[in-house]
Amino acid sequence: MNNATTRKRMGVVSIIIGDRKRDASAVNDILTDHGELVLARMGLPCPERGLAVIALIVEASTDEIGSLTGRLGRLESVTVKASLV
């Protein structure tokens, strides 16, 4: 592997769950699987809208973050964005 993909980077991952009833459990399972990457998590449930917003502070390689965001992005109601430095 080259240094760019193995170097740890800091960043923020934002997650919007559009259908909380259907996808919240799957999102939590994925976050548990990648728990070693997460330094902090803030969540805001919006039951009146049926959605939730989660912000993660992460430290990981781009490959690890890609694995996390890729799995999340495959869920139908989930929108995910990552910003890294």
Side-chain angles (χ1 to χ4, degrees):
M1 285 190 182
N2 68 39
N3 193 31
T5 59
T6 59
R7 184 173 65 96
K8 298 285 183 182
R9 300 179 66 187
M10 295 282 300
V12 177
V13 176
S14 62
I15 305 162
I16 299 175
I17 307 170
D19 187 338
R20 196 168 161 240
K21 283 187 177 186
R22 184 182 63 211
D23 289 330
S25 179
V27 168
N28 281 317
D29 290 345
I30 293 167
L31 294 180
T32 298
D33 290 345
H34 292 83
E36 71 281 357
L37 312 179
V38 179
L39 301 176
R41 172 182 173 165
M42 179 178 62
L44 178 66
C46 301
E48 67 282 354
R49 293 185 180 188
L51 60 86
V53 179
I54 300 171
L56 306 175
I57 306 300
V58 296
E59 183 175 30
S61 70
T62 54
D63 286 349
E64 291 169 324
I65 293 168
S67 173
L68 169 63
T69 59
R71 285 183 64 193
L72 290 168
R74 284 191 283 278
L75 298 173
E76 187 175 336
S77 78
V78 173
T79 301
V80 60
K81 301 288 182 190
S83 178
L84 307 172
V85 293

